Structures are given as structure tokens and as C-alpha cells.
């Protein structure tokens, strides 16, 4: 049981380049989330998904797109990277309300450290 | 608006002494409450949660947290700190009714435990 995994672990991009971050979970969670972590700002929600084929905007969605084609995967895309997107990105997953008795908390991946120059 | 406050950016404590990391929240209804710990270059790890029942909940690594409904607080505590407890701690809430699909995080508190 690998839990939540993220690839890649590190990446350096030039301004204007694009990339996709992959998150995978093997816990059969319906909810998945993408956060960014910046010093002194805690975790900020970028996008989230409450099920396969559905996505929604979080607190800081601009400059990012997401897709949830399979229940176990949640992709975060940067179409044209900017230095302001330098951050550590975390994926997380959780059970929905109707299955909350199995666990109410989120489970996090190890993170992707992205630098945009 | 939903919000979580961790009023201390940093907490310093000597090894063997008790520690407290503070958290207050402003969320509609009675939310679920959580503490997570983050070690350097790692993801967040779940420590403990309050769902219902006894206001004092126990979690991993000897940590516990006290829920106070009237003060809307959920402070993290440990009777005797270890140097290995040094890390970044996050408080989080999950609304019970509206926005159940979202978690709201505090800005984090860095705990330094000195030998």
C-alpha cells in the first residue's frame, strides 16, 4: 500500500515552459487535492476533485489546470510557468462524507519541489 | 469566511518540558479538527483528530490535543518534549456541513525543542 505518491520529486523550469505533476493514490479515495506550500503561508488549495471526471477551483487556481480522468490519479498542469509558481506542491486525498467513518483526515504525498527561473 | 489561526510562528521549548502549540478556528457549525506534522523535505503526516466525544484526544508520538468549543480552540500538547519533536505543525479543520469536501489549514508553527 503506497498511499499517495507524486512524480516528479524535483523539477526546474524556465519561464514559459509547461509541465504536468502526477499524483496517484491507492486508497480508493474519491476526493483529491492539490496544494502549494510557500514559506509563512501554510498550505493553499489550488484545485480539488470530488470524483472521477470532476474538478473545482480552490483558493489560488490561476495559472494551473487539473484533470481527473481516473479515480486514482489527479494531474496538475502548468501551461506557461512563471517564477511566482516556484513552490512546493503537495497532493492529498480523503474519503467523502458518506464514507467518512473510514477516516476523516487527509493523506498527503511527499511533495514536488518546483523552481521556475 | 472559514479560517484557522496559529498565532505563534515559532515555539521554543527545552527537552523534557511540556509543550503547547495553539490553534483557534472560525468555521460554521462544529467542524472536524486535525493536527499534522511536517518534517523537513517531507509531506504532512497525520497526528490526531477530534470528531466527537471526549474533549481531550490522544494521537501519535505521545501528542494530545484539547478541544474547547466555547473558545473555538484545539491546542496541541505534549507532557514532555523530545528533540525529535522539532518540526512544523499544522492545525486543520474540515467543516461538518458546508464545504465538507475542503480542509482549511493554519499557517503552521515551527516547534524547536532544545537539548
Amino acid at each position: 500500500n503506497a498511499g499517495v505518491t507524486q512524480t516528479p520529486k524535483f523539477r526546474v523550469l524556465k519561464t514559459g515552459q509547461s509541465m504536468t505533476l502526477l499524483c496517484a493514490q491507492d486508497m480508493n479515495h474519491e476526493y483529491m487535492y492539490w496544494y502549494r506550500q510557500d514559506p509563512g503561508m501554510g498550505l493553499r488549495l489550488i484545485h480539488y476533485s470530488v470524483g472521477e471526471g470532476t474538478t473545482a477551483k480552490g483558493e489560488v487556481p490561476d495559472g494551473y489546470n487539473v484533470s481527473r480522468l481516473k479515480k486514482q490519479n489527479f494531474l496538475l498542469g502548468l501551461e506557461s510557468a512563471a517564477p511566482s509558481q516556484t513552490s512546493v506542491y503537495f497532493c492529498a486525498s480523503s474519503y467523502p462524507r458518506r464514507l467518512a467513518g473510514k477516516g476523516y483526515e487527509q493523506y498527503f504525498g511527499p511533495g514536488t519541489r518546483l523552481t521556475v527561473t | 469566511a472559514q479560517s484557522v489561526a496559529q498565532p505563534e510562528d515559532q515555539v521554543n521549548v527545552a527537552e523534557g518540558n511540556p509543550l503547547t502549540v495553539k490553534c483557534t478556528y472560525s468555521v460554521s457549525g462544529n467542524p472536524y479538527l486535525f493536527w499534522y506534522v511536517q518534517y523537513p523535505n517531507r509531506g504532512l503526516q497525520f497526528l490526531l483528530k477530534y470528531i466527537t466525544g471526549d474533549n481531550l484526544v490522544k494521537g501519535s508520538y505521545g501528542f494530545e490535543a484539547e478541544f474547547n468549543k466555547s473558545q473555538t480552540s484545539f491546542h496541541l500538547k505534549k507532557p514532555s518534549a523530545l528533540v525529535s519533536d522539532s518540526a512544523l505543525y499544522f492545525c486543520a479543520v474540515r467543516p461538518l456541513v458546508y464545504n465538507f469536501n475542503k480542509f482549511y489549514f493554519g499557517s503552521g508553527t515551527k516547534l524547536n525543542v532544545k537539548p
Side-chain angles (χ1 to χ4, degrees):
Chain A
N1 196 342
V4 181
T5 59
Q6 293 182 233
T7 53
K9 288 185 170 53
F10 304 94
R11 186 72 185 269
V12 178
L13 288 179
K14 295 186 186 303
T15 297
Q17 287 185 319
S18 63
M19 76 164 294
T20 300
L21 283 67
L22 170 64
C23 175
Q25 52 93 8
D26 61 2
M27 295 173 284
N28 205 32
H29 287 165
E30 290 194 22
Y31 291 178
M32 295 187 75
Y33 311 78
W34 276 108
Y35 294 92
R36 59 177 290 172
Q37 183 181 28
D38 302 292
M41 303 190 73
L43 292 171
R44 292 185 291 171
L45 181 64
I46 304 171
H47 286 280
Y48 64 98
S49 168
V50 298
E52 184 178 320
T54 69
T55 63
K57 295 180 180 180
E59 184 185 356
V60 288
D62 293 343
Y64 305 95
N65 56 75
V66 288
S67 64
R68 182 99 180 268
L69 299 179
K70 294 183 178 181
K71 184 177 184 178
Q72 63 269 33
N73 296 337
F74 195 28
L75 306 179
L76 178 70
L78 286 73
E79 290 186 346
S80 180
S84 60
Q85 294 178 304
T86 294
S87 187
V88 181
Y89 292 85
F90 288 101
C91 177
S93 67
S94 71
Y95 283 112
R97 178 196 298 277
R98 71 179 190 281
L99 297 176
K102 289 190 174 185
Y104 298 86
E105 63 271 20
Q106 279 180 320
Y107 295 80
F108 282 83
T112 295
R113 187 173 296 274
L114 175 66
T115 302
V116 183
T117 61
Chain B
Q2 327 277 24
S3 65
V4 179
Q6 293 181 242
E8 300 153 319
D9 291 335
Q10 186 166 296
V11 169
N12 299 312
V13 64
E15 188 173 32
N17 284 359
L19 70 87
T20 298
V21 182
K22 296 179 180 177
C23 172
T24 59
Y25 62 90
S26 175
V27 175
S28 304
N30 297 318
Y32 300 137
L33 303 163
F34 307 89
W35 276 101
Y36 289 85
V37 60
Q38 185 182 31
Y39 298 101
N41 301 312
R42 303 290 293 274
L44 276 71
Q45 296 178 31
F46 169 71
L47 266 184
L48 51 78
K49 64 189 174 191
Y50 174 82
I51 303 301
T52 187
D54 194 350
N55 289 345
L56 185 66
V57 293
K58 296 186 184 298
S60 306
Y61 313 119
F63 283 94
E64 56 191 27
E66 187 169 15
F67 169 60
N68 187 317
K69 185 175 181 178
S70 63
Q71 296 184 0
T72 60
S73 67
F74 189 53
H75 300 331
L76 180 69
K77 301 181 179 184
K78 188 173 183 181
S80 179
L82 299 172
V83 173
S84 57
D85 292 331
S86 298
L88 187 58
Y89 291 81
F90 289 97
C91 179
V93 302
R94 186 176 193 182
L96 185 61
V97 182
Y98 297 111
N99 291 321
F100 183 81
N101 50 350
K102 289 186 178 179
F103 291 74
Y104 297 88
F105 286 83
S107 56
T109 298
K110 186 176 182 182
L111 175 65
N112 296 314
V113 182
K114 298 184 178 179

